[in-house]
């Protein structure tokens, strides 16, 4: 057992982080959301992601892919979650090898999820599932346009599992990032003549965030290795919790500034909410894990 | 990232399983919790059995992954826990091994491994619990002895211990971390009074130890005078992520038993309760993965985020587990109030987990200041 990142995995993570820092920094993030008709998908960036192998990561090399596995995909999606990279990343990743152009980032693929919600419908070249007559919502997340489709799509069971796992990976990245933002703020923001991070109440909020991140990280990475449905459900539950509660605690640490549109904290929280209700959400995970208790105990 | 055993690990696991299958059936019956001499004999007997089979030193120096397999398999097989050997095997022993002289190692280590001597821990004091460095027990130098006066508390196994790893203040004028010395105190020395301390669970788990002019030879000092804090910190990190392996395995087993019990008594049909058990499954699975992560990290010699993160989450989760047990098993006929129910004693015992070995509040501050680098707290 060597349950640690390999050298190659560390290099992959650093590579993705570098690419995203160069191509999707904070200015780009704010520019994407401050568009009157809602955010637009950056097709140039999508192609670059395709060139970098983001979508074809798990395709065999014979099929023009990178030939890596789920643990590597999880690391890439964790990085996407750290910077709030927008777009139907998971649907396009899962379509690589099936939908022409998805692997290279030439085609944008989205899908109707189990709750009947579609992300990035208008930007998509290909929609999996029935999105006829879908109605546009006023999306809570300024970086994710949402539509409500008539029929929920049960989806392919394997796809639902992978969507849940990669969602957990994105949530993990977001949870880790909001933890860092909270700590940065707590170190520098002064009140009552000292950094607020010297107050135990603030310290304990930040420590709680880290604990949730570390527990979720172990669960997400393990699920990527085992691909066991109960492991994936556990990873999803804990990563959703780490992201949503982490973003709320980060907002709290930022005080009044955290409540403003200018602060990025809102974006992390809203995206975490959007992801948390994707297929394989709380109730389904808890029921699956409860059933697993019985079958494992027998 | 890999969760499978290496060939060596798999071989160790198989060999251990086979041995446990042969060794456990011939064990004597467990003594009652209040029978201290019986507990001592039982726990030492188990250590001797392990020693004779070549597993006596599994806690020391072994690859953390091997140690994790040992703890996992012994717990799964229902083998005894370290019990009265806890301090000797997991704390004082490693301290002597790392910081003691050759002479000290030869005197103190073999009896621990062979299951012949029991150690207890004289760290906490009535006014120095989580703030361990505030301890006040004095150790005054008198020729080739230290003369020790003061009192210790929460000392498990004090009634049956042969030795006590004792922290005393040898320089009251020094900054509070600097004037402390580590001593091995023989428990039969004149001037020692042990008074059992009854816990809220009704058990005599701990004792208070009163020290009145107890003479401890200077030769029993491990490390330099006034360097006891460093000596202690070296070994507090010894367990390197494996401290809770057995407990997490045990919690997962209890949770599975609870689910089966809930199905038996109909409580499984309550979706709120059922999902609560499902969430606890997520919790203990994740804690198991975090254990594996920390153990792998320790195997590479990398200092990890560490025990505080794990302990914070685990202590809370274990309390939640027994809250859920009360919901599942305590519904009828007042069984939730009946001390004959073994799970109720576990529920009461679990109340200590967020307090012992540094309260959750102190652990949060440790994480904030030492891991996250936030300014020193107020």
């Amino acid at each position: 057992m060597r349950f640690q990142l390999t050298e190659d995995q560390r290099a992959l993570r650093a590579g993705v982080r570098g690419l995203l820092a160069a191509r999707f920094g904070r200015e780009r993030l704010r520019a994407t959301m401050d568009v009157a008709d809602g955010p637009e998908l950056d097709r140039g960036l999508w192609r670059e992601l395709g060139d970098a192998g983001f979508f074809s990561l798990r395709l065999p090399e014979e099929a023009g892919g990178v030939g890596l596995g789920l643990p590597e995909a999880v690391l890439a999606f964790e990085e996407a979650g750290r910077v709030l990279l927008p777009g139907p990343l998971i649907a396009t990743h899962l379509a690589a090898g099936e939908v022409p152009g998805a692997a290279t980032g030439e085609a944008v693929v989205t899908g109707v999820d189990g709750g009947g919600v579609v992300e990035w419908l208008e930007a998509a070249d290909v929609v999996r599932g029935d999105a006829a007559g879908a109605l546009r919502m006023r999306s809570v997340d300024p970086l994710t346009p949402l539509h409500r489709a008539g029929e929920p799509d049960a989806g392919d069971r394997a796809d639902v599992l992978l969507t849940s796992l990669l969602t957990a990976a994105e949530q993990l990245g977001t949870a880790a990032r909001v933890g860092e933002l909270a700590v940065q703020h707590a170190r520098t923001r002064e009140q009552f003549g000292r950094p607020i991070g010297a107050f135990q109440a603030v310290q304990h909020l930040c420590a709680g965030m880290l604990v949730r991140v570390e527990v979720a990280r172990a669960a997400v990475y393990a699920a990527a290795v085992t691909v066991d449905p109960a492991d994936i459900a556990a990873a999803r539950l804990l990563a959703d919790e780490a992201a949503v509660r982490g973003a709320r605690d980060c907002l709290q640490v930022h005080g009044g500034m955290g409540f403003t549109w200018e602060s990025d904290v809102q974006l992390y929280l809203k995206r975490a909410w959007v992801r948390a209700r994707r297929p394989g959400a709380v109730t389904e995970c808890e029921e699956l894990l409860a059933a697993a208790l019985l079958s494992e105990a027998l | 990232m890999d969760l499978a055993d290496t060939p060596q690990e798999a071989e160790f696991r198989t060999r251990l399983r086979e041995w446990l299958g042969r060794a456990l059936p011939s064990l004597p019956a467990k003594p009652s919790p209040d029978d201290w001499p019986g507990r001592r004999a039982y726990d030492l007997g188990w250590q001797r059995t392990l020693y004779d089979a070549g597993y006596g030193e599994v806690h020391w120096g072994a690859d953390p992954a091997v140690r994790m397999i040992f703890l996992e398999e012994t717990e799964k097989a229902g083998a005894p826990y370290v019990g009265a050997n806890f301090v000797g095997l997991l704390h004082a022993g490693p301290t002597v091994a790392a910081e003691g002289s050759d002479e000290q190692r030869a005197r103190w280590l073999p009896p621990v491994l062979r299951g012949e001597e029991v150690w207890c821990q004289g760290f906490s004091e009535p006014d120095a619990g989580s703030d361990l460095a505030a301890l006040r027990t004095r150790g005054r130098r008198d020729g080739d002895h230290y003369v020790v006066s003061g009192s210790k508390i929460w000392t498990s196994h004090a009634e049956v211990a042969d030795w006590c790893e004792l922290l005393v203040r040898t320089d009251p004028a020094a900054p509070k971390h600097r004037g402390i010395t580590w001593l091995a105190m023989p428990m039969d020395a004149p001037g020692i009074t042990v008074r059992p301390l009854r816990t809220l669970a009704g058990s005599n788990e701990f004792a208070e130890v009163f020290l009145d002019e107890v003479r401890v030879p200077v030769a029993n000092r491990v490390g330099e005078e006034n360097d006891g804090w460093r000596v202690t910190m070296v070994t507090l990190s010894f367990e390197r992520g494996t401290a809770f392996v057995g407990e997490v395995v045990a919690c997962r087993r209890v949770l599975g038993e609870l689910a089966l019990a809930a199905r038996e008594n109909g409580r499984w049909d309550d979706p709120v309760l059922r999902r609560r058990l499902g969430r606890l499954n997520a919790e203990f699975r994740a804690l198991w993965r975090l254990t594996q992560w920390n153990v792998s990290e320790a195997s590479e010699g990398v200092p990890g985020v560490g025990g505080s993160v794990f302990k914070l989450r685990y202590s809370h989760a274990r309390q939640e587990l027994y809250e859920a047990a009360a919901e599942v098993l305590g519904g009828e006929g007042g069984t939730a109030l009946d001390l004959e129910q073994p799970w109720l004693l576990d529920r009461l015992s679990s109340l200590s987990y967020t307090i012992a070995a540094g309260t959750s509040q102190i652990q949060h501050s440790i994480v904030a200041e030492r891991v996250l680098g936030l300014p020193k707290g107020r």
Side-chain angles (χ1 to χ4, degrees):
Chain A
M1 184 194 74
R2 188 187 176 277
F3 188 37
Q4 291 283 300
L5 300 195
T6 63
E7 283 312 309
D8 286 348
Q9 286 167 341
R10 283 179 226 273
L12 173 87
R13 181 175 63 180
V16 177
R17 189 172 295 188
L19 169 75
L20 294 177
R23 283 296 279 111
F24 195 73
R26 182 167 188 273
E27 279 172 31
R28 186 76 219 133
L29 174 91
R30 299 301 300 203
T32 305
M33 65 184 270
D34 290 334
V35 178
D37 297 337
E40 277 183 29
L41 198 70
D42 182 342
R43 290 267 178 175
L45 174 57
W46 208 256
R47 278 301 303 270
E48 278 184 61
L49 289 171
D51 289 342
F54 192 91
F55 302 118
S56 62
L57 200 63
R58 292 183 306 116
L59 271 189
E61 287 177 55
E62 311 85 80
V66 188
L68 294 173
L70 262 182
E72 287 76 19
V74 155
L75 293 174
F77 276 84
E78 182 185 342
E79 291 305 315
R82 278 182 68 87
V83 298
L84 289 180
L85 187 65
L89 297 162
I90 295 176
T92 304
H93 176 92
L94 293 180
E98 292 173 25
V99 172
T104 54
E106 284 159 287
V108 176
V109 183
T110 191
V112 183
D113 75 23
V117 171
V118 198
E119 299 177 21
W120 289 97
L121 179 61
E122 284 161 12
D125 303 306
V126 176
V127 182
R128 302 177 114 188
D130 181 11
L135 296 173
R136 185 171 188 166
M137 289 190 239
R138 269 187 73 196
S139 173
V140 65
D141 176 9
L143 282 157
T144 309
L146 297 175
H147 281 69
R148 206 189 316 267
E151 288 295 314
D153 192 314
D156 174 53
R157 182 68 203 151
D159 267 9
V160 172
L161 272 181
L162 293 181
T163 299
S164 201
L165 175 61
L166 295 176
T167 294
E170 287 185 295
Q171 296 285 53
L172 173 62
T174 285
R177 185 65 191 137
V178 290
E180 291 168 8
L181 290 173
V183 167
Q184 252 168 37
H185 187 74
R187 273 201 201 120
T188 48
R189 169 72 173 170
E190 292 198 5
Q191 296 270 269
F192 305 100
R194 51 178 180 255
I196 60 170
F199 293 101
Q200 284 192 343
V202 176
Q203 289 192 336
H204 291 196
L205 273 179
C206 293
M209 293 166 84
L210 180 78
V211 170
R212 288 193 296 265
V213 168
E214 293 303 318
V215 174
R217 183 185 305 284
V220 171
Y221 289 178
V225 172
T226 66
V227 206
D228 174 87
D231 279 343
I232 291 176
R236 178 69 189 282
L237 270 182
L238 296 172
D240 278 350
E241 182 196 38
V244 172
R245 283 198 55 191
R248 287 186 56 166
D249 287 352
C250 181
L251 200 155
Q252 182 69 24
V253 169
H254 278 76
M257 285 185 253
F259 191 66
T260 66
W261 190 259
E262 281 68 35
S263 161
D264 292 343
V265 183
Q266 52 140 345
L267 303 175
Y268 283 98
L269 176 59
K270 290 165 176 176
R271 186 73 65 87
W273 278 344
V274 168
R275 295 190 200 113
R277 54 143 308 285
R278 285 183 192 153
V282 184
T283 309
E284 195 183 323
C285 287
E286 287 175 350
E287 288 287 3
L288 189 149
L289 284 158
L293 279 178
L294 287 181
S295 55
E296 285 160 12
L298 286 172
Chain B
M1 289 188 277
D2 188 2
L3 288 161
D5 286 344
T6 64
Q8 292 85 348
E9 288 163 0
E11 198 266 330
F12 177 78
R13 192 187 294 275
T14 309
R15 194 158 41 87
L16 175 61
R17 258 187 209 164
E18 286 168 2
W19 178 75
L20 285 167
R22 289 195 304 276
L24 292 182
S26 56
L27 274 187
K30 274 191 181 158
S32 104
D34 289 328
D35 173 11
W36 281 100
R39 283 173 67 170
R40 176 189 156 105
Y42 183 86
D43 295 342
L44 288 178
W46 172 240
Q47 176 58 27
R48 179 70 201 197
T49 306
L50 288 173
Y51 178 83
D52 289 342
Y55 296 110
E57 278 184 86
V58 72
H59 298 291
W60 294 2
D63 178 355
V66 165
R67 184 160 178 244
M68 184 176 79
I69 292 169
F70 175 80
L71 292 167
E72 184 187 357
E73 292 298 328
T74 46
E75 174 57 41
K76 277 185 178 164
Y81 189 52
V82 282
N85 293 306
F86 179 82
V87 173
L89 273 175
L90 301 184
H91 205 272
T95 303
V96 171
E99 298 286 327
S101 64
D102 288 345
E103 213 179 347
Q104 289 172 331
R105 282 196 281 264
R107 166 62 190 88
W108 286 316
L109 300 187
V112 169
L113 293 178
R114 291 195 299 253
E116 291 162 2
E117 287 184 348
V118 168
W119 286 67
C120 63
Q121 188 174 69
F123 283 12
S124 292
E125 296 184 8
D127 293 320
S130 288
D131 184 10
L132 180 58
L135 65 90
R136 290 204 299 224
T137 291
R138 274 297 311 275
R140 176 173 52 83
R141 185 79 178 252
D142 178 23
D144 54 2
H145 281 76
Y146 289 99
V147 180
V148 177
S149 290
S151 69
K152 295 288 174 177
I153 196 168
W154 317 125
T155 311
S156 307
H157 309 113
E159 289 165 85
V160 294
D162 305 286
W163 295 93
C164 176
E165 57 163 344
L166 190 72
L167 291 181
V168 296
R169 185 162 300 284
T170 35
D171 182 358
K176 69 179 194 173
H177 291 90
R178 300 263 169 77
I180 294 171
T181 298
W182 195 107
L183 300 176
M185 177 177 74
M187 287 299 284
D188 58 359
I192 300 176
T193 309
V194 175
R195 195 172 71 104
L197 191 62
R198 203 159 181 221
T199 71
L200 59 73
S203 58
N204 291 326
E205 202 53 51
F206 306 117
E208 288 179 279
V209 179
F210 299 95
L211 306 165
D212 180 20
E213 304 271 303
V214 181
R215 295 182 73 81
V216 180
V218 171
N220 288 17
R221 185 186 74 212
V222 170
E224 296 302 309
E225 187 169 288
N226 298 327
D227 197 27
W229 185 258
R230 186 194 60 78
V231 171
T232 301
M233 289 304 130
V234 165
T235 48
L236 279 182
S237 61
F238 173 76
E239 291 177 286
R240 310 249 275 178
T242 55
F244 297 95
V245 170
E247 279 92 333
V248 176
V249 174
C251 285
R252 294 189 70 182
R253 190 188 59 231
V254 169
L255 188 58
E257 288 166 5
L258 271 186
L260 290 178
R263 204 182 53 174
E264 287 288 304
N265 71 12
R267 297 289 281 132
W268 192 251
D269 298 332
D270 175 353
V272 175
L273 182 57
R274 191 174 62 231
R275 286 180 207 151
R276 192 166 155 195
L277 296 178
R279 182 164 277 270
L280 280 166
N281 189 7
E283 197 70 33
F284 286 110
R285 273 170 185 272
L287 285 166
W288 180 241
R289 299 314 189 183
L290 186 58
T291 302
Q292 291 176 313
W293 183 265
N294 288 343
V295 166
S296 292
E297 204 165 45
S299 295
E300 294 182 11
V302 183
V305 171
S308 289
V309 165
F310 186 93
K311 182 184 181 291
L312 274 168
R313 186 84 174 209
Y314 167 75
S315 56
H316 184 69
R318 185 149 179 187
Q319 288 174 357
E320 289 294 309
L321 175 66
Y322 289 111
E323 295 303 308
E327 288 288 313
V328 171
L329 303 171
E332 297 142 27
T335 51
L337 311 172
D338 182 356
L339 278 172
E340 292 297 319
Q341 300 291 326
W343 63 268
L344 182 51
L345 283 174
D346 290 334
R347 184 186 189 189
L348 291 171
S349 298
S350 78
L351 296 172
S352 73
Y353 298 150
T354 46
I355 300 170
T359 64
S360 289
Q361 285 64 43
I362 289 295
Q363 301 292 346
H364 271 113
S365 294
I366 288 172
V367 169
E369 290 168 17
R370 297 194 203 153
V371 183
L372 297 175
L374 287 172
K376 205 101 179 78
R378 299 289 166 98

